[in-house]
Amino acid sequence: MPLVSMRQLLDEAAKGGYGVGAFNVNDMEQIQAIMGAAVETKSPVIIQASRGARSFAQDRYLFHLILAASELHPEIPIAMHQDHGNSFETCKSAIELGFTSVMMDGSLKEDGKTPASFEENVEVTRRVVEYAHPRGVTVEGEIGVLGGVEDGHGAGGSGLDHVTDPDQAVEFAERTGVDALAIAIGTSHGAYKFTRPPTGDILAIQRVKEIHARIPNTHLVMHGSSSVPQEWLQIINNYGGDMGQTYGVPVEEIVEGIKNGVRKVNIDTDLRMASTGAIRKHLVENTSNFDPRKYYKAAEDAMKEICKARYEAFGAAGMASKIKATSLEKMAGKYAKHELDPKVK
Ligand code: G3H
Ligand code: 13P
Ligand code: ZN
């Protein structure tokens, strides 16, 4: 199957009432882990690259690795997505490269740190939509600001500082025509989300529900969805690492979000922790080994287990075969006929 648009995957997820995992990648091992798990569980998947990832892997390496995944596993629908685009130019370059979906994160200015005004956000996001939709490419926008900073990207602070306002979400969807919308509901990027084990209502799930009820076909996205597995935190620290005590978003809370309208779930930190922990452990336990393939394999297996558990928990397992690829040309036709416009209630 060719790479598909993210809009198609999220429309299918909405029909089936499940969530699609969106995993960040920088290298081949991450892609193989995500795909290995998708194949075993028969799940559709979003593979996403941040600006940092594109620069680390020099764009074309990453593009061709993801393309290789779709050639090797034609039974798995894959959307290739730009994560946190900071400008029109970043999104345009991703589309020119062959990405089937882009995020224009206009909630922050181009520096990726300073909160932007609502009007600035609408302006730049609408420009990206006008460029992407005639090419059949999906656009994700963001309003409200997540907490935390990851690799220089983020406004900092706690996740509950700037929870998304439902009226703004509706106006934003109407004025930009985005396909998907990242909303701030209390999560933050990176490993340091919560200092205490989170209890029942750490996330503003009610907000998800309210926003979903008013813009039902604009798919909601939950960033900062890593669960920060305590077992991997311990392995990292037991094998020479030094991470502070911290907690992530419990998987059950994400599942609650999905029940209330979340369709895309962004995960990066969990795979970073699993691979770091597995490599540390391998190297300490196998001091004579100098073949990187051995510790890369340990990292890949660790990441794969997490991906499998997430696909299953989010209800995406078994859904791959229900999806028949719609070409980007066809998607462009649907946009032109206004079949995919936001339905505002
Ligand atoms: O949202 C941010 C992702 O975790 C990507 O992080 O910019 O360090 O690649 P990165
Ligand atoms: P985590 O840091 O929680 O994995 O979030 C990743 C993310 O939102 C990527 O856009
Ligand atoms: Zn994010």
Side-chain angles (χ1 to χ4, degrees):
M1 183 179 318
L3 295 168
V4 297
S5 72
M6 188 169 85
R7 176 66 189 252
Q8 189 191 356
L9 292 192
L10 299 184
D11 280 348
E12 291 285 344
K15 259 193 267 165
Y18 61 92
V20 185
F23 295 97
N24 285 76
V25 298
N26 303 268
D27 58 38
M28 184 182 73
E29 289 70 25
Q30 290 171 320
I31 296 171
Q32 299 211 116
I34 294 162
M35 289 308 298
V39 169
E40 278 181 29
T41 60
K42 302 183 173 55
S43 310
V45 65
I46 297 161
I47 301 185
Q48 59 189 12
S50 66
R51 282 186 296 136
R54 285 180 58 191
S55 141
F56 174 76
Q58 298 178 44
D59 269 2
R60 297 207 75 76
Y61 281 119
L62 207 53
F63 174 72
H64 284 283
L65 284 169
I66 301 172
L67 211 54
S70 78
E71 288 169 9
L72 279 170
H73 305 293
E75 74 282 20
I76 302 297
I78 307 171
M80 191 193 300
H81 176 74
Q82 163 79 58
D83 190 28
H84 292 284
N86 64 326
S87 65
F88 173 79
E89 283 69 31
T90 298
C91 294
K92 181 169 179 274
S93 71
I95 294 169
E96 283 168 349
L97 189 61
F99 281 52
T100 59
S101 178
V102 293
M103 174 187 196
M104 177 60 235
D105 180 358
S107 69
L108 300 172
K109 289 184 190 277
E110 203 169 323
D111 66 6
K113 289 182 178 63
T114 319
S117 73
F118 182 72
E119 287 305 319
E120 285 171 311
N121 190 356
V122 167
E123 182 60 35
V124 68
T125 308
R126 189 175 51 206
R127 216 176 136 213
V128 172
V129 169
E130 281 164 6
Y131 183 81
H133 282 179
R135 292 164 175 80
V137 171
T138 310
V139 181
E140 173 183 341
E142 172 165 333
I143 59 165
V145 179
L146 268 81
V149 180
E150 190 67 356
D151 221 22
H153 186 101
S158 139
L160 285 165
D161 285 351
H162 310 271
V163 169
T164 302
D165 170 46
D167 290 332
Q168 275 202 345
V170 171
E171 187 183 340
F172 187 83
E174 255 184 329
R175 288 177 61 191
T176 61
V178 284
D179 304 276
L181 184 60
I183 54 171
I185 53 164
T187 63
S188 49
H189 287 122
Y192 298 94
K193 301 183 197 298
F194 306 107
T195 51
R196 265 175 279 136
T199 46
D201 14 309
I202 46 156
L203 299 183
I205 297 286
Q206 193 51 32
R207 278 296 159 99
V208 179
K209 203 171 175 174
E210 283 168 47
I211 296 171
H212 178 57
R214 294 182 61 191
I215 44 172
N217 74 335
T218 306
H219 302 296
L220 302 183
V221 183
M222 194 163 145
H223 282 245
S225 302
S226 277
S227 304
V228 187
Q230 295 299 298
E231 62 274 27
W232 283 114
L233 183 65
Q234 236 157 52
I235 289 172
I236 289 173
N237 288 342
N238 288 349
Y239 290 91
D242 185 15
M243 280 186 73
Q245 183 56 57
T246 174
Y247 301 89
V249 183
V251 173
E252 313 81 72
E253 289 287 310
I254 300 173
V255 171
E256 262 322 287
I258 292 170
K259 280 188 201 148
N260 286 286
V262 167
R263 295 289 160 241
K264 172 175 183 261
V265 184
N266 279 26
I267 296 173
D268 185 1
T269 299
D270 282 356
L271 301 197
R272 290 180 178 195
M273 288 180 68
S275 58
T276 299
I279 289 174
R280 280 191 175 281
K281 183 167 186 289
H282 176 93
L283 291 176
V284 169
E285 289 176 351
N286 301 274
T287 47
S288 63
N289 177 46
F290 58 90
D291 179 350
R293 288 174 300 190
K294 300 220 168 82
Y295 51 83
Y296 288 160
K297 180 72 174 64
E300 198 180 304
D301 290 346
M303 292 189 281
K304 185 173 155 190
E305 282 315 302
I306 293 190
C307 294
K308 270 171 70 175
R310 299 296 181 272
Y311 297 138
E312 276 158 7
F314 303 163
M319 297 298 171
S321 59
K322 303 199 165 129
I323 301 171
K324 305 284 166 258
T326 302
S327 68
L328 293 191
E329 290 71 25
K330 263 209 171 132
M331 291 303 291
K334 286 173 185 272
Y335 288 119
K337 286 189 254 161
H338 298 284
E339 287 173 18
L340 303 175
D341 285 355
K343 291 191 174 74
V344 173
K345 289 190 180 160

